[in-house]
Amino acid sequence: MISEEQVRNVANLARLGLTDAEVEKMSGQLGAILDSIEQIQELDLANVPPTSNPLNLTNVVRPDEPHRELPREEALRPAPDDADGLFGVPRID
């Protein structure tokens, strides 16, 4: 079990403002996570090869190959607004 003091310390490092109820809840949840990690660490994984994904997937994205440059006028054509040859966007206050 992780103590509430440890939860408050981690929350402070992460700049999180937690209520007392959240600290108490997180203490139990983080304790359960650490217990699960301890169980995993007890497994004999000496003959298990490292893997980043359990599924045998391959990259289906096209190769990154250079193409002709898109002319500015063509790029701006679908834009609802342009300002001096740039994309015009609403001001954010």
Side-chain angles (χ1 to χ4, degrees):
M1 175 69 94
I2 186 170
S3 72
E4 291 184 10
E5 180 181 334
Q6 290 171 311
V7 172
R8 290 182 199 284
N9 183 44
V10 171
N12 181 51
L13 293 172
R15 303 294 189 254
L16 299 175
L18 300 179
T19 65
D20 290 340
E22 290 171 328
V23 169
E24 184 178 340
K25 181 178 179 181
M26 292 294 261
S27 177
Q29 291 176 340
L30 291 173
I33 291 169
L34 293 175
D35 290 343
S36 297
I37 292 171
E38 282 183 23
Q39 289 178 351
I40 292 170
Q41 288 178 335
E42 292 173 4
L43 297 173
D44 179 16
L45 302 175
N47 296 320
V48 178
T51 180
S52 61
N53 190 329
L55 304 176
N56 189 15
L57 297 177
T58 58
N59 190 353
V60 294
V61 180
R62 67 169 171 78
D64 189 14
E65 298 173 355
H67 295 280
R68 70 173 181 83
E69 185 177 301
L70 186 64
R72 183 183 304 239
E73 297 79 24
E74 191 176 333
L76 289 172
R77 188 177 327 124
D81 186 26
D82 70 278
D84 298 325
L86 304 172
F87 288 98
V89 296
R91 181 184 172 114
I92 299 174
D93 294 322

